[in-house]
Amino acid sequence: MIGDSHSQVIFPMVSSALSSAGHPVSLQVSRPGLSEKAFLNDADLWSQIAYAKPERMIIALGGNNMEGASYVFTTLGPLISRLREAGVKDILWIGPFRADEAKAPSTAARHATTNGYLTGGLLTRGVTFVDVYDLMDLAGSNDGVHLTPAAYRRVVEQIKPQLLAWARGEGSTALVLGVPRLYVFAGAGVFSTLLFALLLRRRSRRRR
C-alpha cells in the first residue's frame, strides 16, 4: 500500500481489515505530499516494491497532483505500466478526498479535477477505482483538507466491503455504481471511452 498524508490515518485501518480477513499486507508506505509523479521517480519506493514483490497493491494518491490533463498519459499511464512490469497484477486505487472550497479553494479544485482524470484514466487501464470524493465529512477539519480521525474511520467503514471484495478477487470485470462507487473495467477502446463519458456526465449533473 502506497499513499499520501491521508493514508497515514486510513492505511492502518485498511491493513487491519485486510489482515483480519486473511489478507496480510507486506508493504505500507505513507508519505505526506507524495504525488503520482514523485512516486514514479522515487528510486527508494521502487526498491521497496522490488523487495516486497507484491502481486496486488492499494494506492491512495491524487491529492497532490499538480499536472493538467496530460497527467493521464505522461504520469498515470507510465506509473501503472511500471507497476505491472514490477509484478503487480492487480491494483486498487483510492481516489482523492474532497476539500473545503471555502478553506482551501485551490486544493479543492485540484482534487475535483484529478478525481475526474482518475475515473477515466484508471477505467481504461484495468485498475479498480474506489471513488471516495463524495464520502467526505469535513466537519471539524482544521485546514479543510484533512479529516478528523473519526471521519476517516467512517470513510474506511463505508469502503471496507469493496476493499474486501477486491482482496478476494471478486468483481474484476464488473462496473458497479453506487455510494461509495467502485469503478472496475478491464477493457479498453470505444466502449470504455463511451462509458467514461457517461460517468463524467452523471457526475456533472449531480454537482449542479
Side-chain angles (χ1 to χ4, degrees):
M1 300 196 298
I2 295 178
D4 54 23
S5 58
H6 292 289
S7 72
Q8 290 179 302
V9 183
I10 68 170
F11 273 2
M13 302 181 215
V14 171
S15 179
S16 177
L18 291 173
S19 297
S20 296
H23 307 288
V25 175
S26 61
L27 176 65
Q28 183 172 320
V29 178
S30 295
R31 291 187 181 175
L34 183 66
S35 66
E36 295 88 320
K37 188 172 184 177
F39 177 6
L40 184 60
N41 297 302
D42 193 309
D44 178 62
L45 276 178
W46 290 105
S47 294
Q48 292 186 58
I49 292 172
Y51 180 80
K53 295 181 173 61
E55 292 188 356
R56 319 187 82 185
M57 182 172 288
I58 293 177
I59 296 176
L61 293 174
N64 297 301
N65 172 45
M66 300 290 183
E67 301 177 73
S70 62
Y71 146 89
V72 173
F73 307 101
T74 61
T75 300
L76 187 63
L79 174 58
I80 293 171
S81 295
R82 188 166 178 184
L83 286 169
R84 304 285 194 208
E85 293 169 2
V88 180
K89 300 176 182 177
D90 200 1
I91 303 168
L92 180 142
W93 197 297
I94 300 174
F97 288 63
R98 177 171 56 85
D100 190 320
E101 294 181 359
K103 289 184 177 180
S106 62
T107 300
R110 285 192 295 101
H111 285 199
T113 301
T114 299
N115 200 59
Y117 294 156
L118 288 170
T119 301
L122 297 176
L123 274 173
T124 57
R125 290 169 172 80
V127 174
T128 300
F129 180 48
V130 178
D131 185 347
V132 297
Y133 187 84
D134 291 327
L135 298 183
M136 299 302 96
D137 178 1
L138 289 164
S141 171
N142 291 324
D143 60 4
V145 177
H146 299 91
L147 314 183
T148 64
Y152 278 121
R153 182 170 296 280
R154 285 193 292 272
V155 171
V156 173
E157 287 300 315
Q158 289 184 78
I159 68 174
K160 187 161 65 173
Q162 283 79 6
L163 298 177
L164 295 179
W166 170 80
R168 293 191 298 267
E170 299 174 2
S172 59
T173 58
L175 172 69
V176 181
L177 296 179
V179 178
R181 288 175 300 284
L182 171 63
Y183 301 111
V184 192
F185 189 64
V190 176
F191 177 71
S192 65
T193 301
L194 293 173
L195 186 58
F196 176 36
L198 175 61
L199 290 171
L200 288 183
R201 187 177 180 185
R202 287 170 62 95
R203 289 182 66 85
S204 64
R205 285 180 175 177
R206 209 167 32 240
R207 289 175 183 170
R208 289 176 184 172

